[in-house]
Amino acid sequence: MTDDAAFLRNRRQIDALIAVMARLRDPNTGCPWDLAQDFSTIAPYTIEEAYEVADAIDRGAMADLADELGDLLLQVVFHARMAEEAGAFAFPDVVEAIVTKMIRRHPHVFADDAAPDAAGIPQVKRRWEDIKAEERAAKGVATEPASLMDDVGRALPALMRATKLGKRAGRIGFDWPDAGGILDKVEEEAAELREAMAAGPTDAMREEVGDLLFTVAQLARKLDMDAEDALRLANAKFERRFRSVEQQLDPQERSAPVDADRLEALWQMAKARTNAAT
């Protein structure tokens, strides 16, 4: 397929998707559910679809990934349609804005004297931040935010936001020198949690659990790991092993508490099987 033919095909498909959304939101003939939605009600679906994309990538399921990317694209079109109805902007404005931004933020690729091979990743990141600062200044926003924490999105999942907050603080050296220091802090936070638990159910327990989770997120960051990804892997491992335990239980055992020793034995068997499989 030639570049021109591919462009026309892509344009037709995008136009078709925009037309589908316009039909769904038609006040007279549209879908009652779609018509009842607004930005706030659709936002959770947008976040969910982004996680479905990540899940398909984790599983290496390309067919599922294509499907999930379509679902995510629908979210963009949905928000753009509602904005168009409100007279704020439309889908072409969204596309134009991101195209313009990407070209502006990649001068090493798109400038007349572009030299992609001459720009290493550290230089690219530094230039990216410089251009963002220039953009803020052009909008009349302070070139330097009042706090390094200002643009760390509050809607991010808590574990991801904890990582970003720690990374921002590290820009001025407010950080542990190495992972060993953070591991010591994890042990310290665990001890404080034990003290709070011994004192009985209080708000202090929740605070200490939060401190422990925050510190573990920083440990993952210092080890150059994605805490969210590490937890997803742990979730998947637990699920595999628990399913294996379930398979060893009689149907009646699945509806009532099972003897703890029996469960522990089945759990150890499940761990052995999954470890052997990997």
Side-chain angles (χ1 to χ4, degrees):
M1 184 179 294
T2 65
D3 290 344
D4 288 344
F7 174 82
L8 290 174
R9 177 177 181 272
N10 292 341
R11 178 60 187 268
R12 284 195 299 269
Q13 296 298 333
I14 290 294
D15 287 346
L17 178 57
I18 293 172
V20 165
M21 181 50 62
R23 180 72 180 273
L24 291 172
R25 292 279 298 183
D26 187 289
N28 299 313
T29 60
C31 169
W33 186 90
D34 290 277
L35 286 167
Q37 305 311 307
D38 57 29
F39 294 109
S40 62
T41 62
I42 290 298
Y45 294 100
T46 307
I47 295 170
E48 180 180 345
E49 294 300 346
Y51 275 103
E52 294 291 346
V53 168
D55 177 65
I57 292 171
D58 285 343
R59 292 184 287 108
M62 290 297 103
D64 289 350
L65 178 58
D67 188 55
E68 298 300 345
L69 286 171
D71 290 344
L72 185 57
L73 178 58
L74 177 66
Q75 299 300 308
V76 177
V77 173
F78 206 140
H79 285 287
R81 178 64 193 181
M82 291 187 290
E84 183 175 3
E85 293 167 0
F89 59 84
F91 184 78
D93 300 305
V94 175
V95 176
E96 181 180 6
I98 190 59
V99 169
T100 301
K101 182 188 293 184
M102 288 300 98
I103 292 174
R104 183 173 62 247
R105 292 186 180 181
H106 292 81
H108 55 289
V109 175
F110 295 105
D112 292 337
D113 57 349
D117 293 340
I121 291 177
Q123 294 93 326
V124 169
K125 286 184 175 179
R126 187 161 52 249
R127 181 57 180 149
W128 180 278
E129 293 299 331
D130 290 343
I131 293 172
K132 284 177 63 177
E134 293 168 5
E135 292 170 354
R136 287 194 294 268
K139 292 179 180 178
V141 179
T143 303
E144 291 298 329
S147 168
L148 288 169
M149 308 295 163
D150 279 356
D151 60 348
V152 180
R154 294 185 179 278
L156 290 172
L159 192 59
M160 186 183 297
R161 190 163 193 266
T163 301
K164 285 183 174 291
L165 291 172
K167 187 180 297 184
R168 289 298 175 86
R171 287 185 182 179
I172 60 170
F174 192 78
D175 199 0
W176 287 270
D178 53 42
I182 306 181
L183 193 56
D184 291 339
K185 185 63 175 177
V186 168
E187 294 171 356
E188 177 186 327
E189 295 295 350
E192 291 179 3
L193 175 57
R194 287 184 183 276
E195 292 177 7
M197 291 169 61
T202 63
D203 289 341
M205 285 199 324
R206 181 173 63 178
E207 181 179 345
E208 295 301 342
V209 168
D211 289 347
L212 181 58
L213 289 170
F214 184 88
T215 308
V216 170
Q218 306 317 312
L219 177 60
R221 174 179 60 83
K222 187 62 75 171
L223 292 171
D224 292 326
M225 296 178 185
D226 184 319
E228 201 80 25
D229 182 56
L231 185 54
R232 277 198 298 270
L233 291 173
N235 289 343
K237 180 170 66 175
F238 177 85
E239 183 179 0
R240 284 195 306 273
R241 290 175 177 176
F242 187 79
R243 287 178 182 274
S244 179
V245 169
E246 284 184 307
Q247 291 172 2
Q248 306 305 313
L249 297 175
D250 296 330
Q252 62 271 21
E253 289 182 302
R254 299 186 186 187
S255 59
V258 180
D259 177 74
D261 290 339
R262 173 162 161 72
L263 286 175
E264 177 62 22
L266 292 175
W267 180 258
Q268 293 302 325
M269 290 171 58
K271 285 179 62 176
R273 277 195 295 270
T274 54
N275 288 341
T278 57

